[in-house]
Amino acid sequence: GTEFHRIIPKFMVQGGDYENFDGSGGGCYETGGTFSDESFQIKHDAEGIVSMANKGRNTNGSQFFITLAKSSHLDGKHVAFGKVIKGMDAVRDMSRVETEEGGRPILLQRIVVTDCGVGNPPLAADENIHKDDDESIESGKKKKRKKKKKRKKE
């Protein structure tokens, strides 16, 4: 999963540092380095825009952020590549956790995304999108064990 290591209320939540989980790492997953800016076509014109975090032009790695409000001052500086289409209420909830200086969530309020839904079927209309209880976690573990057993038999 990915940890959200920086939260600035009414502006953005940031994650994607798979190396150090604190914003100091997170090079390109394949090469470890950075990669060039792509298109600046998508604008930071609303909450829920998903965009690359960087340290200047052509310094994209694995870190990204989700806007909590219109942030036009980022246009042309950060490559936006998507928008939260379901679950923005969960992102807003994330933005309200208690943080330390610098926007880092306090230790007992870590935010980690373990399943973003990519490749999964859409949620049913009545399904709670930010359900995170022991039952759902245990169910996921059982599914993984079943897959491993099936592979061993083959």
Side-chain angles (χ1 to χ4, degrees):
T2 189
E3 183 166 341
F4 281 81
H5 60 269
R6 185 173 180 216
I7 296 171
I8 302 175
K10 299 180 183 174
F11 175 46
M12 64 92 186
V13 295
Q14 183 173 336
D17 178 358
Y18 67 90
E19 295 173 310
N20 303 323
F21 311 104
D22 63 3
S24 65
C28 176
Y29 187 69
E30 290 183 6
T31 66
T34 60
F35 60 94
S36 298
D37 293 330
E38 293 171 0
S39 170
F40 292 113
Q41 186 174 358
I42 299 173
K43 303 299 179 197
H44 299 86
D45 58 359
E47 73 172 2
I49 302 298
V50 185
S51 188
M52 295 303 298
N54 64 39
K55 295 177 182 172
R57 274 210 169 299
N58 301 314
T59 60
N60 300 289
S62 64
Q63 291 189 46
F64 64 94
F65 61 89
I66 302 171
T67 61
L68 298 169
K70 181 178 179 177
S71 303
S72 301
H73 63 285
L74 301 175
D75 294 344
K77 297 176 183 165
H78 293 268
V79 175
F81 60 91
K83 182 172 182 166
V84 175
I85 56 172
K86 204 173 222 182
M88 194 59 204
D89 53 340
V91 177
R92 285 185 213 103
D93 287 347
M94 289 168 36
S95 74
R96 290 190 279 272
V97 302
E98 186 178 350
T99 58
E100 299 173 347
E101 189 175 327
R104 182 160 180 76
I106 62 170
L107 185 60
L108 296 176
Q109 295 203 23
R110 289 180 54 215
I111 300 169
V112 180
V113 174
T114 58
D115 185 354
C116 68
V118 173
N120 294 330
L123 296 171
D126 62 344
E127 192 172 351
N128 182 349
I129 59 169
H130 49 283
K131 179 181 178 184
D132 186 22
D133 56 23
D134 293 335
E135 183 181 310
S136 63
I137 293 169
E138 191 57 37
S139 173
K141 289 177 183 176
K142 286 179 184 176
K143 286 179 186 176
K144 285 182 182 177
R145 285 193 293 260
K146 282 182 182 179
K147 283 181 183 178
K148 283 183 181 178
K149 285 181 184 178
K150 187 176 180 180
R151 280 190 234 141
K152 285 181 181 180
K153 287 180 183 178
E154 294 172 352

